[in-house]
Amino acid sequence: MSGATLAKSTMRFGTTFGIAAVVLLGLGSFINRNFGVGDSLSGMPLLVVWETAPAAVLVSLIYLLLLVASVLLSAILITTSLVIRHSEASEQSMMNKAAASAAH
């Protein structure tokens, strides 16, 4: 697999995770109020909430973990793609300079 192809697919996956993070962020209040720990339970200590509504705590925890994971994966993949592209551009520039100096 060439560097350009690898950079393109890495950027595509990073963008996909970024879009997923934005969607999760947009749906966060809906998910937490309807299925997770909503506003009424958020002021209570975690142990009390766990005893009254363990499923709601799990939904909120899974939502938070998915959001953080998708943001981190997006950032890592997009950064990796940019590093690959920069490396290829530097390599191409060095090869052009070497060819130009050999021609003179």
Side-chain angles (χ1 to χ4, degrees), residues 8-86:
K8 189 174 183 179
S9 64
T10 305
M11 181 64 83
R12 189 178 311 120
F13 282 122
T15 305
T16 303
F17 278 114
I19 291 170
V22 169
V23 168
L24 280 172
L25 192 61
L27 293 177
S29 61
F30 174 77
I31 292 170
N32 275 328
R33 287 186 181 168
N34 291 319
F35 307 109
V37 178
D39 295 333
S40 61
L41 297 176
S42 63
M44 300 171 76
L46 184 60
L47 291 176
V48 175
V49 176
W50 179 259
E51 290 175 1
T52 58
V57 173
L58 288 176
V59 167
S60 293
L61 180 66
I62 290 170
Y63 163 73
L64 184 63
L65 290 175
L66 284 174
L67 181 63
V68 169
S70 61
V71 167
L72 288 176
L73 279 173
S74 175
I76 289 169
L77 289 172
I78 289 174
T79 303
T80 303
S81 173
L82 294 174
V83 167
I84 292 169
R85 287 182 184 193
H86 177 73

Side-chain angles (χ1 to χ4, degrees), residues 81-99:
S81 173
L82 294 174
V83 167
I84 292 169
R85 287 182 184 193
H86 177 73
S87 174
E88 288 228 337
S90 296
E91 183 179 312
Q92 185 66 32
S93 174
M94 289 176 58
M95 287 175 32
N96 288 344
K97 286 181 185 177

